[in-house]
Amino acid sequence: MMRFIHEQTPVRVVFGAGSIAHLADEAARLGLRRALAISTPRKIFLAERVVEMLGGRAAGVYAHAAMHVPLAAAEAARAEAARLGCDGYVAIGGGSTIGLAKAIALESGLPIIAIPTTYSGSEMTAIWGVTAEGEKRTGRNERVRPRVVIYDPELTLSLPAAIAAPSGMNALAHCVEALYAVDASPIVQLMAEEGIRALSRSLPIVVREPENLEGRSLALYGAWLAGTALGAATPGLHHKLCHLLGGSFNLPHAEVHTIILPHAAAYNAPAAPDALARVARAMGAADAPGALFDLAASLGAPIALRDIGMRFEDLDRAADLALRSPYPNPAPLTRDGIRQLLDDAYYGRRPKGTRV
Ligand code: NAD
């Protein structure tokens, strides 16, 4: 019997090649007069471009975003935004840059315009994260959800395969977990399935033909759907494991998602056969976990935790941490099951026996 609650916060989305040209109009629409352009140090040229496009509506550039949003960086950014008398933020970059804007908005409640240049999906969610003393604290708060998102595929043309492939697998993971989330609604599931279709078709093109703007557009469209799905549904074991592996063992975010996804899908397959059948259908495959593994491998993305800095002797502690606090997941969480999952992910074994 169908039963659900559907709630989705509207985010204004402007999508298309060259759509960064809409920035000044969008800022005016929000009534911004002193917006702060935020980027990482290496992408300061993007923040400078934002300032140029905003003209009189810009307050300045803050180009100190860093991975995992260290608390000190968040505090320094909040102080600078207050000093400049900002009334909003324009974050241009990947999940780390958007994460810094969210950390500032969490306190100030001022609006964010996000211009994502990766497939992380953070721009569509109300999830924030700040890292202090080696632990990443996260939460949900509508104050941090960007009001406007400008998706311009031209900005992703420079994304190299080594970043694009794991970033795209990160987006796929949002879709997979949204399909079996406890609070998934039929609309969210439609978006998730379409996101999987778009990403699994486009990522091979992105890697093979980096200049192909159609492929880049399809991938960014998939990332939008993925972020929307993550923003509207509560993820399970996969996101929990990736969060703790990234935070407690300092592993790179998108790569961890890439490696864990096929194994988390295999773990949940017996308990969520319908969701996994939809993943398989969207990928044009018979076996969803195997297809996810093969896709990552074909993109040249990492497939083994041991190759991205995980130590074998930490697998037991990781399994313990995964069971420390309860969270919703289709398959029951067992110490042996999670330890086996981590072992398979450590060695990069292809999941087998997962036909659904
Ligand atoms: P990132 O923002 O750290 O970017 C990865 C790398 O890509 C950086 O070196 C960056 O300079 C480079 N880069 C970005 N855009 C580029 C482009 N167009 N061309 C060339 N290089 C480019 O990584 P990410 O994977 O986008 O984001 C990861 C972070 O986002 C993590 O901290 C994760 O926790 C967070 N995240 C948050 C949410 C959420 O809903 N809050 C969702 C997903 C990810």
Side-chain angles (χ1 to χ4, degrees):
M1 291 286 274
M2 202 181 271
R3 189 185 276 276
F4 59 88
I5 296 173
H6 178 77
E7 188 184 354
Q8 220 168 322
T9 310
V11 176
R12 184 174 160 87
V13 170
V14 181
F15 191 103
S19 59
I20 194 174
H22 291 265
L23 175 59
D25 287 347
E26 292 300 325
R29 221 172 157 272
L30 282 177
L32 298 185
R33 293 176 176 280
R34 292 190 61 74
L36 184 64
I38 300 172
S39 71
T40 58
R42 287 182 62 187
K43 295 281 179 284
I44 188 168
F45 62 93
L46 288 177
E48 284 166 350
R49 192 169 160 203
V50 161
V51 166
E52 203 182 295
M53 298 186 101
L54 286 174
R57 296 183 187 278
V61 162
Y62 193 78
H64 302 290
M67 227 178 42
H68 300 313
V69 193
L71 179 60
E75 284 170 348
R78 287 169 185 156
E80 180 63 2
R83 188 186 72 77
L84 291 169
C86 295
D87 59 4
Y89 320 102
V90 178
I92 185 160
S96 302
T97 302
I98 294 164
L100 180 61
K102 286 177 164 182
I104 312 174
L106 184 63
E107 281 207 343
S108 70
L110 293 171
I112 299 173
I113 298 179
I115 310 177
T117 62
T118 68
Y119 309 130
S120 84
S122 177
E123 66 281 356
M124 292 304 299
T125 80
I127 305 167
W128 57 268
V130 173
T131 306
E133 287 153 19
E135 198 156 334
K136 190 164 184 178
R137 284 191 305 121
T138 59
R140 285 189 188 240
N141 192 319
E142 284 302 331
R143 285 158 81 101
V144 310
R145 196 192 300 262
R147 299 272 196 85
V148 178
V149 180
I150 299 177
Y151 285 104
D152 187 339
E154 284 179 6
L155 296 172
T156 65
L157 285 171
S158 55
L159 203 55
I163 299 176
S167 182
M169 294 301 297
N170 184 193
L172 267 172
H174 303 335
C175 297
V176 171
E177 292 240 288
L179 277 171
Y180 56 58
V182 277
D183 48 0
S185 79
I187 288 185
V188 170
Q189 289 170 327
L190 282 174
M191 289 193 282
E193 190 174 336
E194 171 68 357
I196 294 169
R197 194 169 292 117
L199 288 159
S200 58
R201 289 204 183 141
S202 60
L203 292 176
I205 303 172
V206 163
V207 165
R208 209 175 45 234
E209 303 167 45
E211 299 295 319
N212 184 326
L213 194 55
E214 245 175 75
R216 296 283 189 178
S217 287
L218 190 59
L220 203 54
Y221 165 67
W224 167 53
L225 293 166
T228 309
L230 177 69
T234 307
L237 173 66
H238 170 81
H239 279 76
K240 180 76 179 183
L241 271 182
C242 293
H243 177 83
L244 81 87
L245 288 170
S248 304
F249 304 99
N250 202 27
L251 303 182
H253 177 85
E255 286 77 2
V256 172
H257 274 269
T258 307
I259 296 165
I260 295 293
L261 182 59
H263 304 287
Y267 188 98
N268 279 325
D274 293 349
L276 271 292
R278 291 181 79 164
V279 176
R281 181 169 73 189
M283 298 184 78
D287 161 29
L292 290 165
F293 182 92
D294 294 343
L295 177 62
S298 74
L299 297 174
I303 49 167
L305 287 177
R306 63 177 173 180
D307 293 340
I308 61 163
M310 185 73 187
R311 298 183 320 164
F312 183 81
E313 53 271 34
D314 285 334
L315 295 182
D316 279 325
R317 192 158 70 87
D320 292 338
L321 287 173
L323 288 166
R324 209 167 51 170
S325 53
Y327 47 92
N329 190 63
L333 302 170
T334 67
R335 172 70 169 68
D336 286 353
I338 292 174
R339 182 63 183 78
Q340 182 61 49
L341 184 167
L342 288 169
D343 207 70
D344 291 341
Y346 179 80
Y347 288 108
R349 298 185 189 110
R350 186 180 189 278
K352 43 176 196 287
T354 49
R355 224 160 260 276
V356 287

PDB file of all heavy atoms in Angstrom, residues 184-215:
ATOM      1  N   ALA A 184      11.329   8.416   1.493  1.00  0.00           N
ATOM      2  CA  ALA A 184      11.283   8.703   0.045  1.00  0.00           C
ATOM      3  C   ALA A 184       9.832   8.808  -0.395  1.00  0.00           C
ATOM      4  O   ALA A 184       8.987   8.039   0.042  1.00  0.00           O
ATOM      5  CB  ALA A 184      11.975   7.590  -0.722  1.00  0.00           C
ATOM      6  N   SER A 185       9.534   9.759  -1.242  1.00  0.00           N
ATOM      7  CA  SER A 185       8.190   9.861  -1.803  1.00  0.00           C
ATOM      8  C   SER A 185       8.278   9.464  -3.280  1.00  0.00           C
ATOM      9  O   SER A 185       9.367   9.436  -3.861  1.00  0.00           O
ATOM     10  CB  SER A 185       7.661  11.291  -1.669  1.00  0.00           C
ATOM     11  OG  SER A 185       8.223  12.102  -2.684  1.00  0.00           O
ATOM     12  N   PRO A 186       7.151   9.177  -3.915  1.00  0.00           N
ATOM     13  CA  PRO A 186       7.203   8.770  -5.327  1.00  0.00           C
ATOM     14  C   PRO A 186       7.871   9.818  -6.215  1.00  0.00           C
ATOM     15  O   PRO A 186       8.557   9.463  -7.169  1.00  0.00           O
ATOM     16  CB  PRO A 186       5.726   8.608  -5.700  1.00  0.00           C
ATOM     17  CG  PRO A 186       5.032   8.354  -4.413  1.00  0.00           C
ATOM     18  CD  PRO A 186       5.785   9.095  -3.364  1.00  0.00           C
ATOM     19  N   ILE A 187       7.695  11.111  -5.895  1.00  0.00           N
ATOM     20  CA  ILE A 187       8.313  12.145  -6.738  1.00  0.00           C
ATOM     21  C   ILE A 187       9.829  12.129  -6.576  1.00  0.00           C
ATOM     22  O   ILE A 187      10.581  12.217  -7.543  1.00  0.00           O
ATOM     23  CB  ILE A 187       7.729  13.536  -6.405  1.00  0.00           C
ATOM     24  CG1 ILE A 187       6.296  13.605  -6.927  1.00  0.00           C
ATOM     25  CG2 ILE A 187       8.578  14.648  -7.016  1.00  0.00           C
ATOM     26  CD1 ILE A 187       5.628  14.940  -6.792  1.00  0.00           C
ATOM     27  N   VAL A 188      10.265  11.995  -5.337  1.00  0.00           N
ATOM     28  CA  VAL A 188      11.709  11.934  -5.086  1.00  0.00           C
ATOM     29  C   VAL A 188      12.303  10.714  -5.791  1.00  0.00           C
ATOM     30  O   VAL A 188      13.384  10.782  -6.387  1.00  0.00           O
ATOM     31  CB  VAL A 188      11.986  11.906  -3.559  1.00  0.00           C
ATOM     32  CG1 VAL A 188      13.439  11.588  -3.275  1.00  0.00           C
ATOM     33  CG2 VAL A 188      11.591  13.234  -2.938  1.00  0.00           C
ATOM     34  N   GLN A 189      11.573   9.606  -5.761  1.00  0.00           N
ATOM     35  CA  GLN A 189      12.085   8.395  -6.429  1.00  0.00           C
ATOM     36  C   GLN A 189      12.165   8.572  -7.950  1.00  0.00           C
ATOM     37  O   GLN A 189      13.098   8.085  -8.579  1.00  0.00           O
ATOM     38  CB  GLN A 189      11.193   7.200  -6.070  1.00  0.00           C
ATOM     39  CG  GLN A 189      11.388   6.783  -4.619  1.00  0.00           C
ATOM     40  CD  GLN A 189      10.357   5.772  -4.170  1.00  0.00           C
ATOM     41  OE1 GLN A 189       9.215   5.794  -4.620  1.00  0.00           O
ATOM     42  NE2 GLN A 189      10.751   4.886  -3.262  1.00  0.00           N
ATOM     43  N   LEU A 190      11.190   9.298  -8.501  1.00  0.00           N
ATOM     44  CA  LEU A 190      11.259   9.565  -9.949  1.00  0.00           C
ATOM     45  C   LEU A 190      12.520  10.365 -10.277  1.00  0.00           C
ATOM     46  O   LEU A 190      13.222  10.087 -11.250  1.00  0.00           O
ATOM     47  CB  LEU A 190      10.040  10.390 -10.391  1.00  0.00           C
ATOM     48  CG  LEU A 190       8.718   9.656 -10.563  1.00  0.00           C
ATOM     49  CD1 LEU A 190       7.601  10.639 -10.867  1.00  0.00           C
ATOM     50  CD2 LEU A 190       8.835   8.624 -11.675  1.00  0.00           C
ATOM     51  N   MET A 191      12.780  11.380  -9.430  1.00  0.00           N
ATOM     52  CA  MET A 191      13.960  12.208  -9.679  1.00  0.00           C
ATOM     53  C   MET A 191      15.232  11.377  -9.518  1.00  0.00           C
ATOM     54  O   MET A 191      16.178  11.503 -10.295  1.00  0.00           O
ATOM     55  CB  MET A 191      13.971  13.407  -8.723  1.00  0.00           C
ATOM     56  CG  MET A 191      12.911  14.416  -9.076  1.00  0.00           C
ATOM     57  SD  MET A 191      13.141  15.966  -8.237  1.00  0.00           S
ATOM     58  CE  MET A 191      12.533  15.570  -6.656  1.00  0.00           C
ATOM     59  N   ALA A 192      15.244  10.512  -8.509  1.00  0.00           N
ATOM     60  CA  ALA A 192      16.439   9.700  -8.255  1.00  0.00           C
ATOM     61  C   ALA A 192      16.700   8.759  -9.434  1.00  0.00           C
ATOM     62  O   ALA A 192      17.841   8.630  -9.894  1.00  0.00           O
ATOM     63  CB  ALA A 192      16.256   8.914  -6.959  1.00  0.00           C
ATOM     64  N   GLU A 193      15.656   8.127  -9.918  1.00  0.00           N
ATOM     65  CA  GLU A 193      15.852   7.179 -11.025  1.00  0.00           C
ATOM     66  C   GLU A 193      16.323   7.915 -12.288  1.00  0.00           C
ATOM     67  O   GLU A 193      17.226   7.458 -12.991  1.00  0.00           O
ATOM     68  CB  GLU A 193      14.554   6.401 -11.297  1.00  0.00           C
ATOM     69  CG  GLU A 193      14.794   5.249 -12.256  1.00  0.00           C
ATOM     70  CD  GLU A 193      13.576   4.350 -12.463  1.00  0.00           C
ATOM     71  OE1 GLU A 193      12.688   4.287 -11.585  1.00  0.00           O
ATOM     72  OE2 GLU A 193      13.524   3.711 -13.531  1.00  0.00           O
ATOM     73  N   GLU A 194      15.714   9.063 -12.538  1.00  0.00           N
ATOM     74  CA  GLU A 194      16.133   9.843 -13.714  1.00  0.00           C
ATOM     75  C   GLU A 194      17.575  10.349 -13.525  1.00  0.00           C
ATOM     76  O   GLU A 194      18.351  10.424 -14.481  1.00  0.00           O
ATOM     77  CB  GLU A 194      15.148  11.014 -13.915  1.00  0.00           C
ATOM     78  CG  GLU A 194      15.542  12.047 -14.952  1.00  0.00           C
ATOM     79  CD  GLU A 194      15.516  11.536 -16.401  1.00  0.00           C
ATOM     80  OE1 GLU A 194      15.242  10.358 -16.619  1.00  0.00           O
ATOM     81  OE2 GLU A 194      15.808  12.355 -17.296  1.00  0.00           O
ATOM     82  N   GLY A 195      17.934  10.671 -12.294  1.00  0.00           N
ATOM     83  CA  GLY A 195      19.307  11.103 -12.001  1.00  0.00           C
ATOM     84  C   GLY A 195      20.305   9.995 -12.316  1.00  0.00           C
ATOM     85  O   GLY A 195      21.360  10.232 -12.910  1.00  0.00           O
ATOM     86  N   ILE A 196      19.949   8.767 -11.938  1.00  0.00           N
ATOM     87  CA  ILE A 196      20.842   7.619 -12.219  1.00  0.00           C
ATOM     88  C   ILE A 196      20.990   7.424 -13.724  1.00  0.00           C
ATOM     89  O   ILE A 196      22.088   7.195 -14.235  1.00  0.00           O
ATOM     90  CB  ILE A 196      20.296   6.331 -11.552  1.00  0.00           C
ATOM     91  CG1 ILE A 196      20.339   6.476 -10.032  1.00  0.00           C
ATOM     92  CG2 ILE A 196      21.091   5.108 -12.001  1.00  0.00           C
ATOM     93  CD1 ILE A 196      19.605   5.392  -9.275  1.00  0.00           C
ATOM     94  N   ARG A 197      19.854   7.561 -14.425  1.00  0.00           N
ATOM     95  CA  ARG A 197      19.891   7.408 -15.885  1.00  0.00           C
ATOM     96  C   ARG A 197      20.824   8.453 -16.502  1.00  0.00           C
ATOM     97  O   ARG A 197      21.709   8.142 -17.297  1.00  0.00           O
ATOM     98  CB  ARG A 197      18.474   7.560 -16.437  1.00  0.00           C
ATOM     99  CG  ARG A 197      18.305   7.112 -17.855  1.00  0.00           C
ATOM    100  CD  ARG A 197      16.825   7.032 -18.239  1.00  0.00           C
ATOM    101  NE  ARG A 197      16.124   5.973 -17.539  1.00  0.00           N
ATOM    102  CZ  ARG A 197      15.100   6.135 -16.681  1.00  0.00           C
ATOM    103  NH1 ARG A 197      14.650   7.337 -16.425  1.00  0.00           N
ATOM    104  NH2 ARG A 197      14.544   5.109 -16.079  1.00  0.00           N
ATOM    105  N   ALA A 198      20.636   9.708 -16.087  1.00  0.00           N
ATOM    106  CA  ALA A 198      21.423  10.809 -16.660  1.00  0.00           C
ATOM    107  C   ALA A 198      22.913  10.650 -16.328  1.00  0.00           C
ATOM    108  O   ALA A 198      23.775  10.821 -17.201  1.00  0.00           O
ATOM    109  CB  ALA A 198      20.903  12.145 -16.142  1.00  0.00           C
ATOM    110  N   LEU A 199      23.210  10.313 -15.085  1.00  0.00           N
ATOM    111  CA  LEU A 199      24.623  10.217 -14.671  1.00  0.00           C
ATOM    112  C   LEU A 199      25.307   9.010 -15.301  1.00  0.00           C
ATOM    113  O   LEU A 199      26.451   9.107 -15.774  1.00  0.00           O
ATOM    114  CB  LEU A 199      24.715  10.146 -13.141  1.00  0.00           C
ATOM    115  CG  LEU A 199      24.392  11.465 -12.432  1.00  0.00           C
ATOM    116  CD1 LEU A 199      24.003  11.224 -10.972  1.00  0.00           C
ATOM    117  CD2 LEU A 199      25.582  12.433 -12.506  1.00  0.00           C
ATOM    118  N   SER A 200      24.624   7.861 -15.327  1.00  0.00           N
ATOM    119  CA  SER A 200      25.312   6.674 -15.852  1.00  0.00           C
ATOM    120  C   SER A 200      25.528   6.786 -17.366  1.00  0.00           C
ATOM    121  O   SER A 200      26.454   6.193 -17.901  1.00  0.00           O
ATOM    122  CB  SER A 200      24.564   5.385 -15.479  1.00  0.00           C
ATOM    123  OG  SER A 200      23.255   5.427 -15.976  1.00  0.00           O
ATOM    124  N   ARG A 201      24.681   7.572 -18.032  1.00  0.00           N
ATOM    125  CA  ARG A 201      24.909   7.781 -19.479  1.00  0.00           C
ATOM    126  C   ARG A 201      25.976   8.839 -19.739  1.00  0.00           C
ATOM    127  O   ARG A 201      26.742   8.739 -20.688  1.00  0.00           O
ATOM    128  CB  ARG A 201      23.620   8.245 -20.148  1.00  0.00           C
ATOM    129  CG  ARG A 201      22.652   7.112 -20.198  1.00  0.00           C
ATOM    130  CD  ARG A 201      21.616   7.228 -21.272  1.00  0.00           C
ATOM    131  NE  ARG A 201      20.738   6.063 -21.110  1.00  0.00           N
ATOM    132  CZ  ARG A 201      19.451   6.064 -21.255  1.00  0.00           C
ATOM    133  NH1 ARG A 201      18.844   7.140 -21.640  1.00  0.00           N
ATOM    134  NH2 ARG A 201      18.745   4.967 -21.065  1.00  0.00           N
ATOM    135  N   SER A 202      25.979   9.877 -18.910  1.00  0.00           N
ATOM    136  CA  SER A 202      26.850  11.021 -19.224  1.00  0.00           C
ATOM    137  C   SER A 202      28.278  10.863 -18.714  1.00  0.00           C
ATOM    138  O   SER A 202      29.210  11.356 -19.353  1.00  0.00           O
ATOM    139  CB  SER A 202      26.251  12.303 -18.644  1.00  0.00           C
ATOM    140  OG  SER A 202      26.125  12.176 -17.243  1.00  0.00           O
ATOM    141  N   LEU A 203      28.470  10.199 -17.587  1.00  0.00           N
ATOM    142  CA  LEU A 203      29.829  10.171 -17.023  1.00  0.00           C
ATOM    143  C   LEU A 203      30.860   9.539 -17.963  1.00  0.00           C
ATOM    144  O   LEU A 203      31.979  10.068 -18.097  1.00  0.00           O
ATOM    145  CB  LEU A 203      29.826   9.501 -15.642  1.00  0.00           C
ATOM    146  CG  LEU A 203      29.089  10.310 -14.557  1.00  0.00           C
ATOM    147  CD1 LEU A 203      29.036   9.530 -13.240  1.00  0.00           C
ATOM    148  CD2 LEU A 203      29.753  11.673 -14.331  1.00  0.00           C
ATOM    149  N   PRO A 204      30.509   8.451 -18.666  1.00  0.00           N
ATOM    150  CA  PRO A 204      31.499   7.929 -19.628  1.00  0.00           C
ATOM    151  C   PRO A 204      31.847   8.959 -20.705  1.00  0.00           C
ATOM    152  O   PRO A 204      33.004   9.037 -21.143  1.00  0.00           O
ATOM    153  CB  PRO A 204      30.785   6.711 -20.239  1.00  0.00           C
ATOM    154  CG  PRO A 204      29.803   6.281 -19.188  1.00  0.00           C
ATOM    155  CD  PRO A 204      29.341   7.550 -18.538  1.00  0.00           C
ATOM    156  N   ILE A 205      30.867   9.777 -21.116  1.00  0.00           N
ATOM    157  CA  ILE A 205      31.149  10.815 -22.129  1.00  0.00           C
ATOM    158  C   ILE A 205      32.057  11.889 -21.533  1.00  0.00           C
ATOM    159  O   ILE A 205      33.025  12.328 -22.157  1.00  0.00           O
ATOM    160  CB  ILE A 205      29.830  11.468 -22.632  1.00  0.00           C
ATOM    161  CG1 ILE A 205      28.890  10.392 -23.195  1.00  0.00           C
ATOM    162  CG2 ILE A 205      30.117  12.542 -23.685  1.00  0.00           C
ATOM    163  CD1 ILE A 205      27.502  10.910 -23.533  1.00  0.00           C
ATOM    164  N   VAL A 206      31.741  12.294 -20.300  1.00  0.00           N
ATOM    165  CA  VAL A 206      32.543  13.332 -19.628  1.00  0.00           C
ATOM    166  C   VAL A 206      34.013  12.913 -19.556  1.00  0.00           C
ATOM    167  O   VAL A 206      34.917  13.716 -19.776  1.00  0.00           O
ATOM    168  CB  VAL A 206      31.963  13.596 -18.207  1.00  0.00           C
ATOM    169  CG1 VAL A 206      32.955  14.313 -17.327  1.00  0.00           C
ATOM    170  CG2 VAL A 206      30.655  14.373 -18.314  1.00  0.00           C
ATOM    171  N   VAL A 207      34.237  11.617 -19.257  1.00  0.00           N
ATOM    172  CA  VAL A 207      35.611  11.122 -19.113  1.00  0.00           C
ATOM    173  C   VAL A 207      36.292  10.949 -20.476  1.00  0.00           C
ATOM    174  O   VAL A 207      37.458  11.285 -20.648  1.00  0.00           O
ATOM    175  CB  VAL A 207      35.601   9.791 -18.306  1.00  0.00           C
ATOM    176  CG1 VAL A 207      36.910   9.047 -18.429  1.00  0.00           C
ATOM    177  CG2 VAL A 207      35.280  10.077 -16.840  1.00  0.00           C
ATOM    178  N   ARG A 208      35.519  10.475 -21.450  1.00  0.00           N
ATOM    179  CA  ARG A 208      36.081  10.174 -22.769  1.00  0.00           C
ATOM    180  C   ARG A 208      36.260  11.425 -23.618  1.00  0.00           C
ATOM    181  O   ARG A 208      37.233  11.588 -24.328  1.00  0.00           O
ATOM    182  CB  ARG A 208      35.132   9.202 -23.477  1.00  0.00           C
ATOM    183  CG  ARG A 208      35.761   8.256 -24.466  1.00  0.00           C
ATOM    184  CD  ARG A 208      34.738   7.255 -25.013  1.00  0.00           C
ATOM    185  NE  ARG A 208      33.472   7.849 -25.403  1.00  0.00           N
ATOM    186  CZ  ARG A 208      32.279   7.449 -24.969  1.00  0.00           C
ATOM    187  NH1 ARG A 208      32.190   6.461 -24.107  1.00  0.00           N
ATOM    188  NH2 ARG A 208      31.169   8.037 -25.383  1.00  0.00           N
ATOM    189  N   GLU A 209      35.249  12.319 -23.548  1.00  0.00           N
ATOM    190  CA  GLU A 209      35.261  13.538 -24.374  1.00  0.00           C
ATOM    191  C   GLU A 209      35.016  14.746 -23.482  1.00  0.00           C
ATOM    192  O   GLU A 209      33.897  15.265 -23.436  1.00  0.00           O
ATOM    193  CB  GLU A 209      34.132  13.487 -25.425  1.00  0.00           C
ATOM    194  CG  GLU A 209      34.127  12.312 -26.351  1.00  0.00           C
ATOM    195  CD  GLU A 209      32.779  12.238 -27.101  1.00  0.00           C
ATOM    196  OE1 GLU A 209      32.297  13.279 -27.596  1.00  0.00           O
ATOM    197  OE2 GLU A 209      32.210  11.145 -27.147  1.00  0.00           O
ATOM    198  N   PRO A 210      36.038  15.201 -22.776  1.00  0.00           N
ATOM    199  CA  PRO A 210      35.842  16.272 -21.789  1.00  0.00           C
ATOM    200  C   PRO A 210      35.252  17.557 -22.368  1.00  0.00           C
ATOM    201  O   PRO A 210      34.630  18.327 -21.657  1.00  0.00           O
ATOM    202  CB  PRO A 210      37.244  16.517 -21.231  1.00  0.00           C
ATOM    203  CG  PRO A 210      38.140  15.519 -21.842  1.00  0.00           C
ATOM    204  CD  PRO A 210      37.407  14.720 -22.861  1.00  0.00           C
ATOM    205  N   GLU A 211      35.427  17.772 -23.677  1.00  0.00           N
ATOM    206  CA  GLU A 211      34.933  19.016 -24.291  1.00  0.00           C
ATOM    207  C   GLU A 211      33.474  18.914 -24.752  1.00  0.00           C
ATOM    208  O   GLU A 211      32.926  19.877 -25.278  1.00  0.00           O
ATOM    209  CB  GLU A 211      35.796  19.373 -25.518  1.00  0.00           C
ATOM    210  CG  GLU A 211      37.255  19.627 -25.220  1.00  0.00           C
ATOM    211  CD  GLU A 211      37.453  20.864 -24.352  1.00  0.00           C
ATOM    212  OE1 GLU A 211      36.767  21.870 -24.592  1.00  0.00           O
ATOM    213  OE2 GLU A 211      38.272  20.795 -23.419  1.00  0.00           O
ATOM    214  N   ASN A 212      32.874  17.737 -24.574  1.00  0.00           N
ATOM    215  CA  ASN A 212      31.508  17.519 -25.076  1.00  0.00           C
ATOM    216  C   ASN A 212      30.504  18.204 -24.136  1.00  0.00           C
ATOM    217  O   ASN A 212      30.196  17.715 -23.050  1.00  0.00           O
ATOM    218  CB  ASN A 212      31.251  16.007 -25.163  1.00  0.00           C
ATOM    219  CG  ASN A 212      29.900  15.689 -25.772  1.00  0.00           C
ATOM    220  OD1 ASN A 212      28.935  16.412 -25.576  1.00  0.00           O
ATOM    221  ND2 ASN A 212      29.857  14.597 -26.517  1.00  0.00           N
ATOM    222  N   LEU A 213      29.973  19.339 -24.582  1.00  0.00           N
ATOM    223  CA  LEU A 213      29.108  20.149 -23.721  1.00  0.00           C
ATOM    224  C   LEU A 213      27.768  19.467 -23.447  1.00  0.00           C
ATOM    225  O   LEU A 213      27.184  19.655 -22.382  1.00  0.00           O
ATOM    226  CB  LEU A 213      28.891  21.538 -24.354  1.00  0.00           C
ATOM    227  CG  LEU A 213      28.297  22.609 -23.452  1.00  0.00           C
ATOM    228  CD1 LEU A 213      29.095  22.814 -22.169  1.00  0.00           C
ATOM    229  CD2 LEU A 213      28.173  23.936 -24.204  1.00  0.00           C
ATOM    230  N   GLU A 214      27.310  18.663 -24.391  1.00  0.00           N
ATOM    231  CA  GLU A 214      26.052  17.927 -24.169  1.00  0.00           C
ATOM    232  C   GLU A 214      26.213  16.913 -23.032  1.00  0.00           C
ATOM    233  O   GLU A 214      25.351  16.784 -22.171  1.00  0.00           O
ATOM    234  CB  GLU A 214      25.656  17.195 -25.443  1.00  0.00           C
ATOM    235  CG  GLU A 214      24.366  17.704 -26.046  1.00  0.00           C
ATOM    236  CD  GLU A 214      24.071  17.040 -27.367  1.00  0.00           C
ATOM    237  OE1 GLU A 214      23.658  15.864 -27.353  1.00  0.00           O
ATOM    238  OE2 GLU A 214      24.290  17.691 -28.399  1.00  0.00           O
ATOM    239  N   GLY A 215      27.351  16.214 -23.064  1.00  0.00           N
ATOM    240  CA  GLY A 215      27.641  15.258 -21.992  1.00  0.00           C
ATOM    241  C   GLY A 215      27.759  15.965 -20.652  1.00  0.00           C
ATOM    242  O   GLY A 215      27.231  15.511 -19.631  1.00  0.00           O
TER     243      GLY A 215
END
